[in-house]
Amino acid sequence: MLRTWNRRRAVKSLATATAALATCAFAAAPFAHAEDPLKVGILIPGSKSDKGWMESGYDGLVAAEKQQGGKIKVQMIENINYADMEQALTNLASKNSLVIGVGGQTQAAVYKIAKRFPKVKFSIVGGNQGESAPNVAGYDVKQAEIAFVAGAAAAMLSKNGAVSYVGGMEIPSIVNAGKEFGNGARYINPNIKYVENYTGDFDNVAKSKEATLAAIAQGADVHYHILNLGLRGMEQAAKEKGTHIIGSYTDRCGSDPLYVAYSITGVGYQVRYAISQAVTGEWKPGYKAFGLAMGPESSDMKICNATPDQVKKLEQIKKEIMERKIKVLEG
């Protein structure tokens, strides 16, 4: 009898201990397993150190990683040929929940690949209105808006009464920005000479240099661009001839005397926006306009060492664009 009682007591004690252990394990479970990070794939077609669009996008990614910490895990592909874009996006979409294409040149490939991965969210930084899909968001940086303001700044800074613009691929958003740069310059000086060129390639240094030298030969002393690595050619020409550049995408005033102003086109801001929206569950498909209306992180203009009158004039122009008193092209 004693032996049987001891066995029963032992079984009862074991059952009580097991139940207690299970209760402790259940209570600890929420703290034992952190929520899985959001997997983010990002395609930066050009160089992340191009002093332009691609570098701005990369800076935004770095800022997002710092802001989100362990909430995201990132895979990045950079510097690829256009022919390899679909393959790169397929690679990213097969491994990530959110895929970001940095640049309007990724748009066609994104829409094509998005059909094959309906559960993956895609965001295009520099996306335009047009095609739509239930899992694609297009963020329009409104480059034409800030290009108009940049043209006004160029006209204020030009000593020769001549300014120039070099664009890469001759696609609507790049062409519209060039037209509005010229319009902005004429807004300040109706008689200003404006030289506009396209190289057909955002990264071709030799062609960008040639186009800038041709503009300088016609009197241009302040240059604006929508280029990636091709900007190196514009820098070479400006240094050789003693002219100046208005940089794009990020305010880097004071870093290089070659640059007299910067237009801020929030490429990095949009990368951060896409990631933040996905992390919080607020991500939505469809077209979204950014530009001046979304604030200075999204779009702004900075003249390095600006006079009070220059600052006042630029603020007035930005206000009139937002109020539609000055109407600019899309893109």
Side-chain angles (χ1 to χ4, degrees):
M1 288 292 296
L2 181 61
R3 190 173 181 180
T4 304
W5 181 84
N6 284 340
R7 187 184 299 123
R8 286 178 179 175
R9 187 172 64 178
V11 169
K12 184 177 180 181
S13 297
L14 180 61
T16 302
T18 302
L21 184 61
T23 301
C24 291
F26 178 79
F31 305 99
H33 300 286
E35 186 176 344
D36 290 338
L38 174 75
K39 292 184 178 180
V40 179
I42 183 165
L43 174 60
I44 298 178
S47 168
K48 67 178 187 290
S49 56
D50 66 353
K51 290 188 179 180
W53 180 286
M54 301 300 162
E55 186 167 341
S56 177
Y58 178 71
D59 289 346
L61 175 63
V62 171
E65 288 184 295
K66 185 176 180 180
Q67 178 185 11
Q68 301 295 343
K71 294 180 182 179
I72 63 172
K73 184 178 181 180
V74 176
Q75 177 190 2
M76 183 181 76
I77 297 176
E78 68 158 329
N79 229 352
I80 65 163
N81 296 322
Y82 295 114
D84 299 325
M85 203 169 289
E86 289 182 17
Q87 182 179 348
L89 287 167
T90 300
N91 181 315
L92 293 173
S94 65
K95 301 173 184 176
N96 298 282
S97 300
L98 171 69
V99 174
I100 303 171
V102 180
Q105 63 267 49
T106 69
Q107 180 160 310
V110 164
Y111 275 108
K112 185 174 181 178
I113 301 305
K115 293 175 183 177
R116 293 171 47 196
F117 295 89
K119 293 183 179 180
V120 176
K121 299 176 177 68
F122 293 82
S123 290
I124 305 165
V125 175
N128 298 313
Q129 284 180 304
E131 190 175 357
S132 64
N135 60 333
V136 178
Y139 305 146
D140 188 349
V141 298
K142 308 290 283 184
Q143 286 187 106
E145 275 189 355
I146 204 61
F148 184 100
V149 187
M156 294 179 197
L157 294 166
S158 175
K159 296 178 180 179
N160 293 351
V163 298
S164 75
Y165 168 82
V166 178
M169 292 180 69
E170 203 166 349
I171 57 179
S173 60
I174 308 303
V175 172
N176 286 353
K179 291 184 183 302
E180 292 302 346
F181 179 77
N183 289 338
R186 287 185 286 268
Y187 184 86
I188 296 298
N189 177 5
N191 298 316
I192 199 162
K193 187 172 185 178
Y194 172 49
V195 183
E196 182 177 336
N197 284 297
Y198 298 89
T199 64
D201 187 330
F202 292 110
D203 297 312
N204 192 306
V205 174
K207 288 184 178 180
S208 298
K209 181 177 182 179
E210 182 182 346
T212 305
L213 286 172
I216 293 171
Q218 297 180 64
D221 60 350
V222 179
H223 320 291
Y224 188 56
H225 72 94
I226 295 183
L227 298 167
N228 296 332
L229 282 178
L231 176 60
R232 302 289 186 269
M234 179 175 281
E235 289 179 328
Q236 291 169 12
K239 283 178 182 177
E240 289 177 11
K241 300 298 182 180
T243 58
H244 292 91
I245 300 171
I246 292 179
S248 296
Y249 313 115
T250 303
D251 177 7
R252 302 184 192 278
C253 278
S255 63
D256 187 340
L258 190 66
Y259 289 83
V260 289
Y262 289 88
S263 69
I264 298 164
T265 311
V267 177
Y269 174 73
Q270 291 185 28
V271 170
R272 293 189 348 249
Y273 178 88
I275 292 172
S276 174
Q277 293 287 295
V279 167
T280 59
E282 298 174 285
W283 184 95
K284 295 178 181 178
Y287 170 82
K288 182 174 179 61
F290 281 71
L292 292 168
M294 288 288 284
E297 281 192 286
S298 172
S299 187
D300 204 0
M301 187 71 223
K302 297 291 183 183
I303 293 179
C304 307
N305 303 313
T307 66
D309 285 345
Q310 288 172 338
V311 172
K312 184 178 179 181
K313 189 64 177 178
L314 290 179
E315 289 301 317
Q316 174 201 329
I317 291 170
K318 289 188 292 182
K319 184 173 183 289
E320 290 183 2
I321 290 173
M322 286 188 282
E323 292 175 348
R324 304 290 292 171
K325 292 178 181 177
I326 296 175
K327 295 181 179 180
V328 298
L329 295 167
E330 291 297 323

